[in-house]
Amino acid sequence: MTTDTPMQLGMVGLGRMGANLVRRLMRDGHRCVVYDIDQAAVRKLAGEGATGANSLNRLVDELDRPRAVWLMLPAAVVDPTLDDLVPLLDPDDVVIDGGNSFYQDDIARSKRLAEAGIHYVDCGTSGGVWGLERGYCLMIGGDDAAVARLDPIFRSIAPGSGRAEPTPSRTRNGTAAEGYLHCGPSGAGHFVKMVHNGVEYGMMGAIAEGLSIIRHADVGKRAHAADAETAPLRTPEAYQYEIDVAEVAEVWRRGSVVQSWLVDLVADALARSPGLEAFEGRVSDSGEGRWTVDAAIDEGVPAPVITSALMERFESRGLGHFTDAALSAMRSEFGGHAEKRA
Amino acid sequence: MTTDTPMQLGMVGLGRMGANLVRRLMRDGHRCVVYDIDQAAVRKLAGEGATGANSLNRLVDELDRPRAVWLMLPAAVVDPTLDDLVPLLDPDDVVIDGGNSFYQDDIARSKRLAEAGIHYVDCGTSGGVWGLERGYCLMIGGDDAAVARLDPIFRSIAPGSGRAEPTPSRTRNGTAAEGYLHCGPSGAGHFVKMVHNGVEYGMMGAIAEGLSIIRHADVGKRAHAADAETAPLRTPEAYQYEIDVAEVAEVWRRGSVVQSWLVDLVADALARSPGLEAFEGRVSDSGEGRWTVDAAIDEGVPAPVITSALMERFESRGLGHFTDAALSAMRSEFGGHAEKRA
Amino acid sequence: MTTDTPMQLGMVGLGRMGANLVRRLMRDGHRCVVYDIDQAAVRKLAGEGATGANSLNRLVDELDRPRAVWLMLPAAVVDPTLDDLVPLLDPDDVVIDGGNSFYQDDIARSKRLAEAGIHYVDCGTSGGVWGLERGYCLMIGGDDAAVARLDPIFRSIAPGSGRAEPTPSRTRNGTAAEGYLHCGPSGAGHFVKMVHNGVEYGMMGAIAEGLSIIRHADVGKRAHAADAETAPLRTPEAYQYEIDVAEVAEVWRRGSVVQSWLVDLVADALARSPGLEAFEGRVSDSGEGRWTVDAAIDEGVPAPVITSALMERFESRGLGHFTDAALSAMRSEFGGHAEKRA
Amino acid sequence: MTTDTPMQLGMVGLGRMGANLVRRLMRDGHRCVVYDIDQAAVRKLAGEGATGANSLNRLVDELDRPRAVWLMLPAAVVDPTLDDLVPLLDPDDVVIDGGNSFYQDDIARSKRLAEAGIHYVDCGTSGGVWGLERGYCLMIGGDDAAVARLDPIFRSIAPGSGRAEPTPSRTRNGTAAEGYLHCGPSGAGHFVKMVHNGVEYGMMGAIAEGLSIIRHADVGKRAHAADAETAPLRTPEAYQYEIDVAEVAEVWRRGSVVQSWLVDLVADALARSPGLEAFEGRVSDSGEGRWTVDAAIDEGVPAPVITSALMERFESRGLGHFTDAALSAMRSEFGGHAEKRA
């Protein structure tokens, strides 16, 4: 599978995502010039066929004009990198931010780069560590001309239409069925990717809660304290099940309504370790879920499911401690209730 | 303040609530016969003027017919006590369950006692450790005749209308303004008390969360990890406040919209200990919150606030651990994300 | 694809689900005897190769012992049908309830049927109108012998392992990879199916909220009332997007983390009608979501995501009206705020 | 009750809140100079003893230096008013913003005014239409000197310590017990007021939901559709109550744990109209609830109760319509479910 229209792309940032994007592009015949502050990462990809660069300067020099430079960097590093990179570029060059930037930063950056005649394209990139093989779902924002010019790049990175059966009622053409979409002007790509991650939080929360309810279906077998601080279980006879959670996840993978990649993944994790003992249960959140809720609130759109999933992550990290202490304090005040220790 | 119509009441269960109810009744001139399995508790109240009984039998014998016997017991002990008590009673006697029984149990019990011609009255009793002084808010269910007969008892236990200014638009008579209310047939009292506690959960959750948000208004002063697992704080300059949470609770006690007894109580707890260090933050729930949500779901009434408060208590006790581990497992699977340890 | 071990099955209830189960079984060489109170439905399937029965009596007579009779009926009709059916059966026969019964009813029924020596198997059946083609995901409860005997039936109904790639870390054998699972004793099948539907609610809620947030990304273009009753939009310039929601759903179908059958389905619905004008937005709930939350509460497992999805459905049907009126009433009382009409 | 230290205050904005603040100040012997674009409002207060001004210019001229000018204006009008007012002021004058400004705006404004040597004090003012009589709870931010100078003003506006019993454990001095508090530097006052309103949302939501659950305790009396789209009510016999919601609110006013001003208010509204027929149930939100949730998210503090209350208000205004339509669309796709119309 080699593209008809090979292009050149500079890639800045050769972490797991950046390196795999380069590999996927090279498989399709594109020429990649690569840079990272870690020169070992550069040498590794150079060994696989990329053109290594030991500076941003060299990376820019190696590319024909109009250039396309893809940044695959932690969000906090994008602006400093742009400060270094933009002076090296020429009018009509394109910079693509493929990381997880906040979409409102894209709006500001695209204005800044436009003053130098440089295009800025924001590209939300989903697919995680599996993207090399499955392809990456791309949600793109920016001006039409720049996005159109990069089409062969996006097409090579995306999964392609063969990755899923066609949507029966779809009559339109357009690249969405290939797994990449120009969503709108600057920021629109990261906006859609941000919401994608919010949806991901909610779906993950639903799956994880469901598995937890199944795992605790044996609660009737366990002794309950019979004191005024403990809610009685009225029907212990209804909670006598010891259900194999790993096999439940496996069975949901085929034919069920909840069939999804996330169920595939949790089934794999549970197949390795049905009790998930390796995990403390401190669930990180890296920004997109927060911003999704902020957007929902700005828009006045109720999003209780996504919001609950975000709050659940905060709770998992113990961030509600003072709230909980205040609740115990009030119970102590009005009822003389002492906390039950673990 | 001595009632015009002194009555006799048997009290079974002399814990903090039961003993204080007896004291409040005796202050008002009622005669109380008291029993507890702990004879020291009986002797203590006998020393304060009550008639002590060393058995249920004696308690029943000491009361003139038609009798009124009030149970102030843990919910789990009510049915065994009724098994012992009911055979000792006569037709037209009344049993009052003043504890926190599940209202559907009241429906069954009232039917059972009715077969022996005995009235069963369910009485939700709110007021906690402060009721002796403030009076208790009573929510009552049962048949009209029995409830009417007990009116002097309820009136003495309740706070009385002087405890709050009159509701300006209220034109009706009725005992609600005295702090007690016959809510309906059997179970209606505990139903209203159950929902009262659900409301209490929600109000407590709101207050505790608000204080926590204020306490953490200094988050911009603390260093944040700058990695892909940590959501960046975009405006640290807006979170530079070190606000005195105890004084905030104090100021809200007068003139604010959130003025409430719960704010009074949390202000007192914070006055003693602004950091609430004595509390682990493991918040018990004793049934009524769960049942309130069950009722909301049965009725199809959305109750997201009360439900969130219940779930927050579950989280405070670490009951979401497997859910959280499953979330971390999924993140590890799709993104290679490792958990950040505490 | 014809099974090696053809069996006989009686099917009671020939609605969409029941009829398609029969078709899927016949394709695999099983003999089906079918009954429905609607004789036209019987005749239709008889025309496709099934043996029609005009009464439960005839259906039972047509089957060799030990018999297997599958009920595919609305939950409310199961018990009356069992009342008619059980006296016609013989010891060691099996009845399968493939509908959406409450799992605690299964526990009671299995005890009742066991008194007559009859096995009762509960089988949660997921797959909807697509099951004929995709196969049905089966979650099964009941005693080992009965479930084992029915294995060829379950295998033919289930999707089969080819419907998804193998779970990489899975080393066990077992039928889960075929799309059916014996989850435990009576009720375990419907318990897992109930939670499956709870998960489904949560996933659906997350997807729908996300699409809604994207659809309203143009909120900055619309005029906002500038009065004290309306929250100001502080950054209208950040909400100027008109994003094609249908194409977003399409692009998420390949390579994204939210890839799932539910996204496939909503993409199809949006391809037909991007504004979903055909829908009023009154979202039904048919019991399993409620029971899932009840179970979470009984177990003390926090399930805020699934619960929020349930409450969101209640809100969609206007069931929060009195709550909302009370909120407006309070705002009117303390602030003189008048409601803003639509 | 006349203050020992009468001061002068300019009041800009004579709506309900501004006018009553002036009245409360004049009762206490302070001299008020008042301005509003509505000259009728100015004349009215002049008739009650204030000094009327027909322009900002005149208002400034009428005040001795160092001046104190209180703005009681819609948030959107504050900045334009400052543009007009600040050039008229002199170094060491103070401007107080007593409205509902976003606290981050305060930070910016205080910097701007500091450049001209003018102090800016933000003052969250709670008390609604009842403040003239009850006093207003004041949450104040700004530099120490300016806040200290205004102490007699704040003291007169606040309720005073007599409005509630002392907090038993409180040993500190300080103004919080009088109902006003200097919370911290610029923005701290509106930050605390913002969170106060978030708490108010949560408390209101809990109360309203509870009353709604009580109102619908008769759901077992109503016929239920017995179809696959309707969740069955398993225990109709437990929902046969017709409870007088107005009287429940009244009884909660004395002795209960939920005793609060909000319960007082809803009791009054229900006393006038037990069915609240005058309300459509479209509940406004005016910003502070949104900002509270934004702050919780920025801080990483879980606030599920307050957040649910905010989302509930969005739902009350029908803002979840597209979400709901998408849910119905998915149900139609996988299960052929048709919406049940109202």
Side-chain angles (χ1 to χ4, degrees):
Chain A
M1 68 160 188
T2 301
T3 182
D4 298 336
T5 49
M7 290 187 68
Q8 296 182 4
L9 184 81
M11 176 67 66
V12 178
L14 303 176
R16 196 155 31 196
M17 293 282 282
N20 281 344
L21 287 170
V22 167
R23 290 185 182 107
R24 200 165 160 95
L25 286 165
M26 292 194 299
R27 283 186 192 175
D28 230 15
H30 300 289
R31 177 172 169 254
C32 294
V33 185
V34 301
Y35 170 72
D36 193 287
I37 50 169
D38 173 8
Q39 283 294 309
V42 174
R43 280 192 299 272
K44 184 149 197 293
L45 273 172
E48 300 179 31
T51 303
N54 59 10
S55 70
L56 282 179
N57 232 324
R58 285 300 299 268
L59 177 130
V60 170
D61 282 351
E62 285 283 353
L63 293 165
D64 298 331
R65 290 181 58 185
R67 302 177 189 91
V69 182
W70 185 298
L71 309 184
M72 205 70 203
L73 298 167
V77 191
V78 172
D79 275 322
T81 303
L82 287 175
D83 290 342
D84 294 341
L85 177 65
V86 167
L88 309 175
L89 297 178
D90 292 289
D92 210 27
D93 287 352
V94 186
V95 176
I96 305 109
D97 178 3
N100 269 328
S101 289
F102 182 51
Y103 80 95
Q104 296 185 20
D105 289 340
D106 295 320
I107 299 175
R109 286 175 193 152
S110 71
K111 282 191 189 139
R112 180 150 61 98
L113 270 63
E115 290 166 13
I118 299 170
H119 304 278
Y120 177 89
V121 168
D122 53 286
C123 180
T125 309
S126 182
V129 296
W130 300 79
L132 176 57
E133 170 193 330
R134 293 169 86 229
Y136 298 87
C137 177
L138 302 180
M139 294 148 267
I140 305 161
D143 65 76
D144 289 349
V147 174
R149 191 202 300 167
L150 295 166
D151 187 78
I153 296 288
F154 295 137
R155 183 172 298 269
S156 292
I157 294 173
S161 62
R163 270 275 150 191
E165 290 174 32
T167 294
S169 305
R170 191 164 185 267
T171 53
R172 287 200 276 175
N173 295 315
T175 63
E178 308 287 332
Y180 66 105
L181 178 67
H182 183 196
C183 300
S186 278
H190 278 139
F191 186 91
V192 172
K193 174 56 161 55
M194 168 189 86
V195 177
H196 165 279
N197 283 28
V199 172
E200 176 190 307
Y201 279 40
M203 290 173 66
M204 288 172 69
I207 294 166
E209 291 175 6
L211 295 174
S212 196
I213 296 168
I214 289 170
R215 180 176 168 90
H216 292 94
D218 65 346
V219 73
K221 291 191 168 180
R222 282 181 256 134
H224 268 63
D227 57 48
E229 297 304 296
T230 305
L233 177 59
R234 296 181 58 79
T235 53
E237 68 280 7
Y239 295 97
Q240 298 286 331
Y241 301 116
E242 294 181 349
I243 299 174
D244 186 329
V245 176
E247 291 294 85
V248 167
E250 180 66 28
V251 81
W252 285 352
R253 298 187 60 227
R254 293 172 184 86
S256 85
V257 173
V258 302
Q259 192 177 315
S260 57
W261 194 47
L262 285 162
V263 167
D264 294 348
L265 294 175
V266 84
D268 197 45
L270 289 164
R272 275 202 303 280
S273 164
L276 300 173
E277 288 83 2
F279 298 97
E280 264 188 41
R282 297 179 58 83
V283 191
S284 290
D285 78 284
S286 53
E288 299 85 3
R290 301 178 181 215
W291 305 332
T292 302
V293 176
D294 287 341
I297 290 174
D298 280 347
E299 297 177 5
V301 169
V305 169
I306 292 174
T307 305
S308 295
L310 176 67
M311 298 288 169
E312 189 170 58
R313 292 193 178 194
F314 291 170
E315 297 275 15
S316 79
R317 305 206 299 271
L319 301 177
H321 172 73
F322 192 76
T323 303
D324 299 336
L327 292 171
S328 281
M330 281 185 261
R331 296 187 81 245
S332 170
E333 290 287 323
F334 68 70
H337 301 286
E339 280 190 332
K340 286 197 66 150
R341 300 304 157 111
Chain B
M1 67 159 188
T2 301
T3 182
D4 298 335
T5 50
M7 290 186 69
Q8 296 182 4
L9 184 80
M11 177 66 68
V12 178
L14 302 175
R16 195 156 32 197
M17 292 283 281
N20 281 344
L21 286 171
V22 167
R23 290 184 183 106
R24 200 165 161 94
L25 285 165
M26 292 194 301
R27 284 187 192 174
D28 229 15
H30 299 289
R31 177 171 169 255
C32 294
V33 185
V34 302
Y35 170 72
D36 194 288
I37 50 169
D38 172 10
Q39 283 294 308
V42 173
R43 282 191 299 270
K44 183 149 198 291
L45 273 173
E48 300 178 33
T51 304
N54 58 10
S55 69
L56 282 180
N57 231 324
R58 286 299 301 269
L59 178 130
V60 170
D61 281 351
E62 286 281 354
L63 294 164
D64 298 331
R65 293 181 56 186
R67 302 178 188 90
V69 182
W70 186 298
L71 309 185
M72 207 68 204
L73 298 166
V77 191
V78 172
D79 275 321
T81 304
L82 286 176
D83 289 343
D84 293 341
L85 176 66
V86 168
L88 310 173
L89 297 177
D90 291 289
D92 209 27
D93 287 352
V94 186
V95 176
I96 305 108
D97 178 3
N100 269 329
S101 290
F102 181 52
Y103 80 96
Q104 296 186 20
D105 289 340
D106 295 320
I107 299 175
R109 287 174 192 153
S110 71
K111 281 191 189 139
R112 181 149 62 98
L113 270 64
E115 291 167 12
I118 300 170
H119 305 277
Y120 176 89
V121 168
D122 53 285
C123 180
T125 309
S126 182
V129 298
W130 300 79
L132 175 57
E133 170 192 329
R134 293 168 87 231
Y136 298 88
C137 178
L138 302 180
M139 295 148 265
I140 306 161
D143 65 76
D144 289 351
V147 173
R149 191 203 300 168
L150 295 167
D151 187 79
I153 296 288
F154 294 137
R155 183 171 298 269
S156 292
I157 294 173
S161 62
R163 271 274 150 191
E165 290 174 33
T167 295
S169 305
R170 191 165 183 268
T171 54
R172 286 199 278 173
N173 295 315
T175 64
E178 308 287 331
Y180 67 106
L181 178 66
H182 183 196
C183 300
S186 278
H190 279 140
F191 186 91
V192 173
K193 174 57 162 55
M194 168 190 87
V195 177
H196 165 278
N197 282 28
V199 172
E200 175 190 308
Y201 278 40
M203 290 173 66
M204 289 172 68
I207 294 165
E209 290 175 6
L211 295 173
S212 196
I213 295 169
I214 289 169
R215 180 176 169 88
H216 291 95
D218 65 346
V219 72
K221 291 191 169 181
R222 281 182 257 132
H224 268 62
D227 57 48
E229 297 304 295
T230 305
L233 176 59
R234 294 181 58 81
T235 52
E237 69 280 8
Y239 296 96
Q240 298 286 331
Y241 301 115
E242 293 181 351
I243 300 173
D244 186 330
V245 176
E247 290 294 85
V248 168
E250 181 66 28
V251 83
W252 286 352
R253 295 187 62 229
R254 293 172 183 84
S256 83
V257 174
V258 303
Q259 192 177 314
S260 58
W261 193 47
L262 285 162
V263 166
D264 294 348
L265 294 176
V266 83
D268 198 45
L270 289 164
R272 276 202 304 280
S273 165
L276 300 174
E277 289 82 2
F279 297 97
E280 264 187 41
R282 297 178 58 82
V283 191
S284 290
D285 78 284
S286 53
E288 298 85 4
R290 300 179 181 212
W291 305 332
T292 302
V293 176
D294 288 340
I297 290 174
D298 279 347
E299 297 178 3
V301 169
V305 169
I306 293 174
T307 304
S308 296
L310 176 67
M311 298 288 168
E312 189 170 59
R313 292 193 177 193
F314 290 170
E315 296 276 13
S316 79
R317 305 207 299 273
L319 301 178
H321 172 72
F322 191 76
T323 303
D324 300 335
L327 291 171
S328 281
M330 281 184 261
R331 295 187 82 246
S332 170
E333 290 285 323
F334 68 71
H337 301 287
E339 280 189 331
K340 286 198 68 151
R341 300 302 157 112
Chain C
M1 67 159 188
T2 301
T3 182
D4 297 337
T5 49
M7 289 186 69
Q8 295 182 6
L9 185 81
M11 178 66 68
V12 177
L14 303 176
R16 195 156 32 195
M17 292 282 282
N20 280 345
L21 286 171
V22 167
R23 289 183 183 108
R24 198 164 162 95
L25 284 165
M26 292 194 301
R27 284 188 191 173
D28 230 14
H30 299 289
R31 178 173 167 252
C32 295
V33 185
V34 301
Y35 171 71
D36 194 288
I37 49 169
D38 173 9
Q39 283 294 309
V42 174
R43 281 191 300 270
K44 183 149 196 293
L45 273 173
E48 300 180 31
T51 304
N54 58 11
S55 70
L56 282 179
N57 231 323
R58 285 300 300 269
L59 177 130
V60 170
D61 282 350
E62 285 282 354
L63 294 164
D64 297 331
R65 291 180 58 184
R67 301 177 189 92
V69 181
W70 186 298
L71 309 185
M72 207 68 206
L73 298 166
V77 189
V78 171
D79 275 321
T81 303
L82 286 175
D83 290 343
D84 293 341
L85 175 66
V86 168
L88 309 174
L89 297 178
D90 292 290
D92 211 27
D93 287 353
V94 186
V95 176
I96 306 109
D97 178 3
N100 270 328
S101 289
F102 182 51
Y103 80 95
Q104 296 186 20
D105 289 340
D106 296 319
I107 299 175
R109 286 174 193 153
S110 71
K111 281 191 189 140
R112 181 150 61 98
L113 270 63
E115 290 167 12
I118 300 171
H119 305 277
Y120 177 89
V121 168
D122 54 285
C123 180
T125 309
S126 182
V129 297
W130 299 80
L132 175 57
E133 171 192 330
R134 293 169 87 231
Y136 298 87
C137 178
L138 302 180
M139 294 149 266
I140 305 161
D143 65 76
D144 290 350
V147 174
R149 192 202 298 166
L150 296 167
D151 187 79
I153 296 288
F154 295 137
R155 183 172 298 268
S156 291
I157 294 173
S161 62
R163 269 275 150 191
E165 290 174 32
T167 294
S169 303
R170 191 164 185 268
T171 53
R172 286 200 276 175
N173 294 315
T175 63
E178 308 287 331
Y180 67 106
L181 178 67
H182 183 196
C183 300
S186 278
H190 278 140
F191 186 91
V192 172
K193 174 57 161 55
M194 168 190 86
V195 177
H196 165 280
N197 283 28
V199 172
E200 175 190 308
Y201 278 41
M203 291 173 65
M204 288 172 68
I207 294 165
E209 290 175 7
L211 295 174
S212 196
I213 295 168
I214 290 170
R215 180 176 168 90
H216 292 95
D218 65 346
V219 72
K221 292 191 170 182
R222 282 181 256 131
H224 268 63
D227 57 48
E229 297 303 297
T230 305
L233 177 59
R234 295 180 59 79
T235 52
E237 69 281 8
Y239 296 95
Q240 298 287 331
Y241 301 115
E242 293 181 350
I243 299 173
D244 186 329
V245 176
E247 290 295 84
V248 167
E250 180 66 27
V251 82
W252 286 351
R253 296 187 61 227
R254 293 174 184 83
S256 83
V257 174
V258 302
Q259 192 177 315
S260 57
W261 193 47
L262 285 162
V263 167
D264 294 347
L265 294 175
V266 84
D268 198 45
L270 289 164
R272 276 201 304 280
S273 164
L276 300 173
E277 288 83 1
F279 297 97
E280 264 188 42
R282 298 179 58 83
V283 191
S284 291
D285 78 285
S286 53
E288 298 85 4
R290 300 180 180 211
W291 304 332
T292 302
V293 176
D294 288 341
I297 290 174
D298 280 346
E299 297 178 3
V301 168
V305 170
I306 292 175
T307 305
S308 296
L310 176 67
M311 298 288 169
E312 190 170 57
R313 291 192 178 194
F314 291 169
E315 296 275 15
S316 79
R317 305 207 298 271
L319 301 178
H321 172 74
F322 192 75
T323 303
D324 300 334
L327 291 171
S328 281
M330 282 185 261
R331 296 186 83 246
S332 170
E333 290 287 322
F334 68 70
H337 302 286
E339 281 190 331
K340 287 196 65 149
R341 299 304 157 112
Chain D
M1 68 159 188
T2 300
T3 182
D4 298 336
T5 49
M7 290 186 66
Q8 296 182 2
L9 184 81
M11 178 66 68
V12 178
L14 304 175
R16 196 156 33 195
M17 292 283 281
N20 281 345
L21 286 170
V22 167
R23 290 185 183 106
R24 201 166 160 94
L25 285 165
M26 292 194 301
R27 284 186 192 176
D28 228 16
H30 300 288
R31 177 172 169 255
C32 294
V33 186
V34 301
Y35 171 71
D36 194 287
I37 49 168
D38 172 11
Q39 283 294 308
V42 174
R43 281 191 298 271
K44 184 148 197 294
L45 273 172
E48 300 178 33
T51 304
N54 59 11
S55 69
L56 282 179
N57 231 325
R58 287 299 300 268
L59 178 130
V60 170
D61 282 351
E62 286 282 353
L63 294 164
D64 299 330
R65 291 182 57 185
R67 303 177 189 90
V69 182
W70 185 299
L71 309 185
M72 206 68 203
L73 298 166
V77 190
V78 172
D79 275 322
T81 304
L82 286 175
D83 290 342
D84 293 342
L85 176 66
V86 168
L88 309 174
L89 297 178
D90 292 289
D92 210 28
D93 287 353
V94 186
V95 177
I96 306 109
D97 178 3
N100 270 328
S101 288
F102 182 51
Y103 80 96
Q104 296 186 20
D105 289 340
D106 296 319
I107 299 175
R109 288 175 192 152
S110 72
K111 281 191 190 140
R112 180 148 62 98
L113 268 65
E115 289 166 13
I118 300 170
H119 304 278
Y120 176 89
V121 168
D122 53 286
C123 181
T125 310
S126 182
V129 297
W130 299 80
L132 175 57
E133 170 193 331
R134 292 169 87 230
Y136 298 86
C137 178
L138 302 180
M139 294 149 267
I140 305 161
D143 65 76
D144 289 349
V147 174
R149 190 202 301 167
L150 296 167
D151 187 79
I153 297 288
F154 294 137
R155 183 172 297 269
S156 293
I157 295 173
S161 62
R163 270 276 150 190
E165 291 173 31
T167 295
S169 304
R170 191 165 184 269
T171 54
R172 287 200 274 174
N173 294 315
T175 62
E178 309 287 332
Y180 66 106
L181 178 67
H182 182 197
C183 300
S186 278
H190 278 140
F191 186 91
V192 173
K193 174 57 160 56
M194 167 190 87
V195 177
H196 165 278
N197 283 28
V199 172
E200 175 191 308
Y201 279 40
M203 290 173 67
M204 288 172 69
I207 294 165
E209 291 175 7
L211 295 174
S212 195
I213 296 169
I214 289 169
R215 180 175 168 90
H216 291 95
D218 65 346
V219 71
K221 291 190 169 182
R222 281 181 256 133
H224 268 64
D227 57 48
E229 297 304 295
T230 306
L233 177 58
R234 295 180 58 79
T235 53
E237 69 280 8
Y239 296 96
Q240 298 287 331
Y241 301 115
E242 293 181 350
I243 299 173
D244 186 329
V245 176
E247 290 295 84
V248 167
E250 180 66 28
V251 83
W252 286 351
R253 296 187 61 228
R254 293 172 184 85
S256 83
V257 173
V258 302
Q259 192 177 314
S260 57
W261 194 46
L262 285 163
V263 167
D264 294 348
L265 294 175
V266 83
D268 198 45
L270 289 164
R272 275 202 304 280
S273 164
L276 301 173
E277 287 83 3
F279 298 97
E280 263 187 42
R282 297 178 59 83
V283 191
S284 289
D285 78 286
S286 53
E288 299 84 4
R290 300 179 181 213
W291 305 333
T292 302
V293 176
D294 288 341
I297 290 174
D298 280 347
E299 297 178 3
V301 169
V305 169
I306 292 175
T307 305
S308 296
L310 176 66
M311 297 289 168
E312 189 170 57
R313 292 193 178 193
F314 291 170
E315 296 276 15
S316 80
R317 305 206 299 272
L319 301 178
H321 172 74
F322 192 75
T323 303
D324 299 336
L327 291 172
S328 281
M330 281 185 262
R331 295 187 82 248
S332 170
E333 289 286 322
F334 68 70
H337 302 287
E339 282 189 330
K340 285 196 68 149
R341 300 303 159 111

